[in-house]
Amino acid sequence: MYLITYLISSLLLFGLCADLSAQEAKSDSVRVFALIDIAKEKQAQGFPDSAEHYFKKAGQLAEELDSDIGRIAYAGHYTVFLYQQVRYDEALTLAKQQLAASLKVNNKQKASYGYNNMALQYQAQGKLKQAAEALMKALALSAEIKNPSQRDLSDRRKFYNNLSSLLLDLNDIDKGLQYGLKSLEIAEELQDTVAVAMSLVNILVAEAMANKLTDAEQHALQLLAIGQSHGDVQTKLTAYINLSDIYRRQDRLPLALETYQKAEVLLQQAPPGNEVYVLSGIATVYKNMGRYHQANSYFDQALVLAGEELAKPKVIELYLSGAEIKEGLGNYRQALQFRKQYERLSDSLLNQETQQTIQELEVKYQAAEKEKSIAEQALKISEQQAQLDRKNKWIVLAIALVCILVLLLVFNRLISRQKRRIESSRQENRLLEAQLKGEEEERARTARELHDGVASILSAAKLQVNALADGHVEPHVHIGQLIESAVQEIRNISHNLAPEIVLTEGFAYAIQEFCRRIRQPGLQLACYVIGELPQLDQKTELLLYRVVQESVANMVKHADATAGIVQVVGGGNRLTITIEDNGKGFDPEQLTANGIGLKNLSSRIQLVGGTYEIRSAPGKGTSIYIEIGTDNHRPVKREGAEVRTYG
C-alpha cells in the first residue's frame, strides 16, 4: 500500500509572503524579501547549503530591523525548506516562530498558516494527535474570517486537504474522504484547476482504501490529465504512483509495473522525496507476482531512502511490505524483525488514545461549525426578514400612491365632466340668448319694414280710395297696384320672419330661397352651394341662417352694391361660408368700436365654435369669410354643386 496523500506544504510558498506587499512592509523589509528570493533561487538550482545561508541571513536581517512581517516571511519559507530536507524538528521550531510573529500582529490569516505548518511537522514525526490539534486551530481561525475572500477560501481548502491526509494516515477512511470532498468543493467553486488536482489525490486514495477501485481509477486518470495539460511533473508523478497502486489492487500487475516505470522516468525532473514511493511500489508489485528476489532488490533501495524521505506513517507500510518480502525469500529472521518494527510503530502512531483524541477534536470542530452555520442561517433569515419588511413597506407605499393617483384621476375626471356640463349649459344658454336676440332684432326690423313699406303703401292706397270717393275715376287702377305691392311686401316680411324653412327644408335650401327672395333693382346676387354639407343641429343652422340673412341685408341696404355672392362649401369636417359684394365698403377698425351688427356677428360665430374674417376698405367692397368645424356632425350626400343667380 503505497498511495501518496497530498500534504500542502507548498501552501507556505503561496500563503506566507506572496501577499506581504510593500504597502504593508517598511522599506527596509524589502531587503528581507530580496534575500528570501535569492535563497529560493539557490534551492531551485540544487544548492541547498547556499540556500540555507541566504535564509539565515534573511532571518538575521528581520531581527535587526525588528520587522514582524520580515520574521513571518523568513520563518514561513525556511520552514518549507527544512521540511523538504526532512529536518522536521527544526522546521517545527520555525513554524512556531512563524505562529508567534503572526499572533503578535493579530493577523489571523498568517497565524492559521503557522498552525498548518506545525501540523505538517507533527504529522511527519508521527505525532498525529498534536498534528490534529494544530490543524483544528488553523481551521478555527479560518472560520472566524467574516466575508472570506477567494484567498481565504483557498487557504481553508488546503487545511481541509491536510486534515483529510491526516485522517487517512489514521485509516479513518470515511472522514478522510469527507474532508477531501470538502476541499474539492471549494476548489471547484474557485475554479482553480491546480487546487482541484491537489484535492483529487486524497479523494482517490480514500476510494482505493475503501476498495472503490473504479472510482479511484477515474479520479487518478483525471489527475493525470490535469498534470499533462499543465506540464506539472509532480502532479503527473503523483498520478502515476497512485494509479500504479490502484492497478496492483485490481490485480492488473503488468499494467501496474508498466505505470511505475513511467513514474520512474519522471524522477529526474521531480523534486526529492518521490523516489522512495516508486521503489517501494515496484517492490510490492514484484512481491505480488511472486518474484521475491527482484522485489527484495527494490525494497532494499527504498529502505535506504526511507529514513531521509518518508514520514513515519508511511514507514509503517514499508516495514509491513518488507516483512512479507523477506518471508517470501525464506529469511524469517529479518521478516520477524520488520514485523516487530511495523507493530511497534503502528502501536505508537495508531493507538486507541490518539485516535479517540483526534475523533473528539474533529467532533468539537464539527459542532462549532454547525453552531456557526446555525448562527449564520439565523442572521441570514433575520436579514431576509428585514429585507422583506422593507419590500412590504415599499409595496404598501406604492399601493397607497397608486390609490391616491387613481382617486385624483377620478376626481379630476369628475371635475372635468362637471366643467364640461356647465360649459355645455352655458353654451346652450348663449345660443338661446343669441337666438332670442336675433328674433328681437328681426321683430324690430320687421316693424320698421311694416312701417316704412307696407304702412306707406297702404297709406297711398287709402289716398287713392279717398280720391275715388270724391268722384275721380282714374285712381282705381293705381289702387290695385298698391294693394298688390302691399301683399308682396307682407309676403317677403313673412318669409323673413318664419325660420320653418330652415327646420323643414334644410340650411342650404333656406339660404338659396332667401337669396332668391331678395329683390333689389340693380343688384345681381349669386348663391353657390358646393360639396357635401354636414347635418348641423337646428340651433346652429338657425344661427348661421340669421348671420347670412343679416349680412345680405346689410349688403342690400348699406353697401350700394351692384353684384354680390353667397357661397356655402362643405367638405370633410369643415363648413365655410363666404359673403362678398362690390359695394362702397367701410373701415372695419372704425366700425368695430361702435358697430352693434359686427358684435352680433362675432358672438354668434363664437357660439357655434367657428371663426370669421371681415375684409373691407372704402370703395373696395366687403368680404366676410366664416369657417366652422363639423367633426361631430354626419355629412349629407348631395349630387354635386348647385349654382343659382338672382338679380
Side-chain angles (χ1 to χ4, degrees):
M1 295 169 56
Y2 292 99
L3 294 165
I4 299 180
T5 56
Y6 204 99
L7 295 174
I8 315 297
S9 59
S10 58
L11 159 66
L12 302 172
L13 295 175
F14 301 106
L16 298 173
C17 289
D19 63 337
L20 296 176
S21 63
Q23 294 179 353
E24 297 178 357
K26 299 178 181 177
S27 59
D28 289 341
S29 299
V30 176
R31 295 160 54 195
V32 178
F33 303 141
L35 290 171
I36 292 172
D37 289 339
I38 296 172
K40 290 164 58 181
E41 185 178 353
K42 294 295 182 181
Q43 182 184 4
Q45 292 172 351
F47 302 110
D49 293 339
S50 179
E52 187 167 10
H53 170 72
Y54 282 103
F55 274 128
K56 289 181 177 180
K57 286 190 66 175
Q60 291 171 359
L61 181 59
E63 291 299 327
E64 292 174 6
L65 297 174
D66 193 22
S67 169
D68 291 316
I69 293 176
R71 290 189 185 99
I72 295 171
Y74 151 72
H77 285 283
Y78 195 22
T79 299
V80 172
F81 173 80
L82 294 173
Y83 179 81
Q84 292 173 346
Q85 296 297 313
V86 199
R87 294 160 63 180
Y88 301 132
D89 291 335
E90 296 174 73
L92 180 60
T93 301
L94 266 294
K96 290 179 178 179
Q97 291 180 15
Q98 175 191 358
L99 174 62
S102 300
L103 293 174
K104 181 180 177 182
V105 296
N106 194 29
N107 191 321
K108 293 182 180 180
Q109 185 185 51
K110 305 296 187 298
S112 67
Y113 300 157
Y115 279 123
N116 179 70
N117 290 329
M118 288 169 59
L120 295 179
Q121 314 316 315
Y122 283 133
Q123 186 174 355
Q125 293 173 337
K127 300 176 181 179
L128 303 185
K129 177 180 176 181
Q130 291 91 329
E133 290 175 345
L135 266 180
M136 292 304 177
K137 289 179 180 179
L139 280 168
L141 285 176
S142 176
E144 290 179 7
I145 299 174
K146 295 182 179 179
N147 302 318
S149 63
Q150 284 194 336
R151 174 63 182 279
D152 297 324
L153 291 174
S154 178
D155 295 338
R156 191 174 301 174
R157 183 205 67 78
K158 295 167 186 175
F159 301 156
Y160 280 141
N161 212 36
N162 286 345
L163 182 57
S164 172
S165 174
L166 175 61
L167 291 167
L168 291 175
D169 281 349
L170 290 167
N171 288 323
D172 192 342
I173 300 173
D174 292 338
K175 290 291 179 63
L177 180 59
Q178 174 186 337
Y179 282 101
L181 291 172
K182 279 189 174 183
S183 175
L184 179 62
E185 181 181 351
I186 296 176
E188 290 176 340
E189 180 183 344
L190 295 174
Q191 297 182 346
D192 186 341
T193 307
V194 176
V196 168
M198 295 176 180
S199 302
L200 280 173
V201 176
N202 290 336
I203 292 173
L204 71 89
V205 169
E207 290 170 340
M209 292 173 66
N211 208 33
K212 299 177 180 178
L213 299 179
T214 302
D215 294 339
E217 181 183 359
Q218 291 299 321
H219 284 132
L221 291 172
Q222 184 180 350
L223 177 65
L224 179 60
I226 293 174
Q228 290 173 337
S229 65
H230 284 75
D232 188 336
V233 175
Q234 180 60 61
T235 302
K236 288 192 289 183
L237 188 56
T238 303
Y240 279 133
I241 292 172
N242 285 294
L243 195 57
S244 299
D245 195 77
I246 293 168
Y247 291 149
R248 181 189 63 80
R249 291 167 182 265
Q250 293 173 334
D251 205 25
R252 300 159 69 183
L253 299 179
L255 182 57
L257 187 59
E258 179 186 343
T259 307
Y260 269 126
Q261 290 169 348
K262 290 181 181 179
E264 193 173 10
V265 174
L266 296 174
L267 286 176
Q268 294 179 351
Q269 307 174 44
N274 292 285
E275 186 177 3
V276 65
Y277 290 102
V278 176
L279 294 172
S280 58
I282 294 174
T284 304
V285 173
Y286 278 131
K287 179 197 70 174
N288 290 0
M289 288 179 171
R291 298 161 63 177
Y292 291 103
H293 288 286
Q294 291 171 296
N296 188 61
S297 174
Y298 279 96
F299 169 76
D300 289 341
Q301 296 179 58
L303 187 62
V304 172
L305 296 173
E308 298 178 359
E309 297 185 1
L310 277 184
K312 283 188 178 181
K314 301 302 179 184
V315 175
I316 296 176
E317 299 174 1
L318 184 62
Y319 286 157
L320 179 59
S321 180
E324 293 173 348
I325 291 172
K326 297 300 181 181
E327 185 179 354
L329 290 171
N331 192 341
Y332 298 109
R333 182 178 178 180
Q334 282 189 326
L336 180 59
Q337 289 177 350
F338 282 121
R339 177 72 66 175
K340 287 180 178 180
Q341 287 177 317
Y342 164 75
E343 290 176 354
R344 182 173 60 253
L345 188 57
S346 179
D347 289 342
S348 66
L349 294 179
L350 307 178
N351 62 76
Q352 184 176 0
E353 181 183 355
T354 299
Q355 291 184 337
Q356 184 176 355
T357 301
I358 292 175
Q359 289 175 356
E360 289 175 355
L361 287 172
E362 197 270 336
V363 168
K364 288 180 180 179
Y365 171 72
Q366 288 287 0
E369 283 291 288
K370 287 181 180 178
E371 290 178 0
K372 179 185 175 185
S373 177
I374 291 171
E376 289 177 349
Q377 189 68 22
L379 179 61
K380 186 176 181 180
I381 292 173
S382 177
E383 291 176 350
Q384 290 176 344
Q385 185 62 43
Q387 186 177 8
L388 183 61
D389 290 341
R390 288 193 295 270
K391 286 183 178 179
N392 289 338
K393 289 180 181 178
W394 280 111
I395 291 173
V396 171
L397 181 59
I399 292 174
L401 288 175
V402 169
C403 291
I404 292 173
L405 289 175
V406 170
L407 289 175
L408 288 175
L409 182 61
V410 171
F411 186 67
N412 185 55
R413 284 194 171 186
L414 291 175
I415 292 176
S416 299
R417 185 180 298 174
Q418 186 64 25
K419 286 182 178 179
R420 287 195 298 271
R421 288 177 179 174
I422 293 173
E423 184 62 29
S424 177
S425 178
R426 289 176 178 173
Q427 180 77 356
E428 290 179 358
N429 291 336
R430 286 194 293 269
L431 287 172
L432 181 59
E433 290 175 0
Q435 183 178 349
L436 293 174
K437 189 173 183 180
E439 291 176 356
E440 289 296 327
E441 291 172 354
E442 281 299 314
R443 291 190 183 95
R445 184 170 60 250
T446 300
R448 291 193 299 272
E449 289 175 352
L450 287 173
H451 178 271
D452 297 337
V454 177
S456 61
I457 293 172
L458 292 178
S459 296
K462 180 181 177 181
L463 292 175
Q464 291 292 329
V465 170
N466 291 335
L468 183 61
D470 292 337
H472 298 285
V473 180
E474 293 82 0
H476 73 277
V477 177
H478 296 291
I479 293 172
Q481 293 176 350
L482 289 173
I483 292 173
E484 181 63 27
S485 297
V487 170
Q488 185 62 39
E489 188 70 21
I490 291 171
R491 185 179 291 112
N492 289 337
I493 293 172
S494 174
H495 279 295
N496 289 336
L497 278 175
E500 284 80 7
I501 189 172
V502 178
L503 304 179
T504 57
E505 301 296 335
F507 175 70
Y509 182 78
I511 293 297
Q512 292 170 342
E513 284 299 305
F514 170 73
C515 291
R516 185 184 60 80
R517 291 195 308 270
I518 296 299
R519 292 182 180 180
Q520 183 69 30
L523 174 62
Q524 184 178 2
L525 181 62
C527 181
Y528 300 86
V529 178
I530 303 172
E532 298 179 356
L533 302 188
Q535 180 68 48
L536 303 173
D537 60 85
Q538 293 180 351
K539 293 181 180 179
T540 301
E541 288 186 340
L542 187 58
L543 279 176
L544 291 176
Y545 177 78
R546 294 299 186 193
V547 167
V548 174
Q549 189 181 49
E550 184 171 348
S551 298
V552 173
N554 289 335
M555 179 198 305
V556 172
K557 293 182 179 179
H558 307 296
D560 295 336
T562 60
I565 296 174
V566 175
Q567 179 176 283
V568 181
V569 180
N573 59 352
R574 313 300 297 172
L575 174 68
T576 61
I577 301 173
T578 304
I579 304 167
E580 295 181 343
D581 65 67
N582 63 349
K584 61 183 180 180
F586 60 91
D587 185 354
E589 293 183 359
Q590 293 182 358
L591 193 62
T592 301
N594 51 14
I596 296 176
L598 272 182
K599 290 182 180 179
N600 290 338
L601 174 67
S602 175
S603 63
R604 288 172 179 172
I605 297 302
Q606 288 179 1
L607 283 174
V608 296
T611 59
Y612 73 96
E613 182 181 3
I614 298 177
R615 294 180 181 180
S616 184
K620 295 184 178 181
T622 301
S623 175
I624 301 174
Y625 177 80
I626 301 168
E627 184 174 348
I628 300 170
T630 60
D631 293 341
N632 298 324
H633 297 283
R634 178 174 54 85
V636 178
K637 180 69 176 177
R638 295 186 182 278
E639 300 296 333
E642 181 179 355
V643 180
R644 295 187 180 183
T645 303
Y646 309 99

